[in-house]
Amino acid sequence: SQTIHQWPATLVQPVGSPLSLECTVEGTSNPNLYWYRQAAGRGLQLLFYSVGIGQISSEVPQNLSASRPQDRQFILSSKKLLLSDSGFYLCAWSVAASRGIGNSPLHFGNGTRLTVT
Amino acid sequence: RKEVEQDPGPFNVPEGATVAFNCTYSNSASQSFFWYRQDCRKEPKLLMSVYSSGNEDGRFTAQLNRASQYISLLIRDSKLSDSATYLCVVSLGKAAGNKLTFGGGTRVLVKP
């Protein structure tokens, strides 16, 4: 069965510090990978998605970046955090659309609760 | 207009009652539809997909109305454990990389 791991679960970082959140998926190959953010009391905002190694699509211009160095690894980074970066960050995967399955749902990791102070 | 809109609620529901709520979407090319459930401070979890003909999973019934561009979720015989935020999710399909757009969620509170 497929599993998704995301860490850390919680993180408190000062403004201006760097960020690295990691997500790995097991039990599937060539998944679509996603990073979402949910601010307190708000809906989920898609930040990045990837359909393959090295392929990153950015949805919202900001000081965050994403990388996919391996097929089942997705990393969210920032060089300098802002207060507005606080939120609940969720990694997710879905079956690759290139397989002809364009209707597969997302499966989320447990999330990282980031507080920028 | 937002791509996916939901009544934020809360819907206060007596235990054992039926509750239903809708979600509207703006893009007529939308192809896939899902309902997710999110408990407080947890990740969203897939509740059910929504099929064109409507579908049922136990006490939960989902329906799609393409003409009016909305989907609905009905919960029968509500349990206390049904208290959660229900997220409507819409996909534009393979052409858009299976990118899913989330609604803001509808909060449901089931009370004894």
Side-chain angles (χ1 to χ4, degrees):
Chain A
S1 64
Q2 301 89 359
T3 56
I4 178 169
H5 304 279
Q6 185 182 344
W7 66 93
T10 59
L11 193 59
V12 180
Q13 293 282 101
V15 168
S17 64
L19 173 74
S20 180
L21 302 181
E22 190 163 342
C23 170
T24 59
V25 180
E26 296 177 359
T28 186
S29 59
N30 195 30
N32 286 345
L33 296 173
Y34 307 80
W35 278 110
Y36 281 84
R37 177 172 62 199
Q38 188 174 38
R42 310 277 296 275
L44 272 76
Q45 178 187 34
L46 179 62
L47 301 175
F48 302 94
Y49 69 94
S50 171
V51 298
I53 295 175
Q55 300 179 59
I56 308 294
S57 296
S58 175
E59 291 297 302
V60 183
Q62 57 204 327
N63 67 320
L64 298 172
S65 62
S67 62
R68 185 171 178 173
Q70 300 180 46
D71 180 44
R72 290 170 291 175
Q73 184 184 27
F74 206 23
I75 298 171
L76 181 70
S77 304
S78 174
K79 292 182 179 178
K80 288 185 178 181
L81 284 169
L82 306 173
L83 285 174
S84 58
D85 291 326
S86 293
F88 190 37
Y89 288 81
L90 290 154
C91 180
W93 74 273
S94 71
V95 175
S98 61
R99 293 180 180 174
I101 302 174
N103 300 322
S104 56
L106 292 174
H107 305 278
F108 287 90
N110 291 338
T112 296
R113 198 161 299 279
L114 172 66
T115 303
V116 182
T117 60
Chain B
R1 183 184 174 186
K2 291 183 181 177
E3 290 181 300
V4 181
E5 288 196 82
Q6 295 183 250
D7 182 338
F11 284 63
N12 294 300
V13 184
E15 191 176 8
T18 296
V19 61
F21 41 90
N22 295 338
C23 164
T24 59
Y25 60 94
S26 60
N27 192 327
S28 60
S30 298
Q31 297 185 8
S32 304
F33 308 88
F34 308 94
W35 282 106
Y36 279 73
R37 171 199 169 119
Q38 185 174 25
D39 293 301
C40 187
R41 300 180 69 83
K42 297 287 189 180
E43 77 277 17
K45 293 184 178 178
L46 178 67
L47 180 64
M48 58 196 303
S49 301
V50 185
Y51 302 123
S52 297
S53 56
N55 50 297
E56 190 175 301
D57 183 0
R59 298 180 293 106
F60 297 84
T61 301
Q63 291 193 316
L64 167 63
N65 185 317
R66 283 195 182 274
S68 301
Q69 294 184 203
Y70 73 87
I71 63 172
S72 64
L73 181 66
L74 181 146
I75 308 173
R76 288 187 304 278
D77 188 23
S78 298
K79 310 292 184 189
L80 296 177
S81 57
D82 293 334
S83 296
T85 297
Y86 292 85
L87 304 172
C88 164
V89 186
V90 176
S91 168
L92 293 180
K94 189 167 64 174
N98 199 29
K99 189 173 57 176
L100 296 178
T101 299
F102 283 75
T106 295
R107 192 171 172 213
V108 173
L109 296 174
V110 182
K111 299 184 175 181

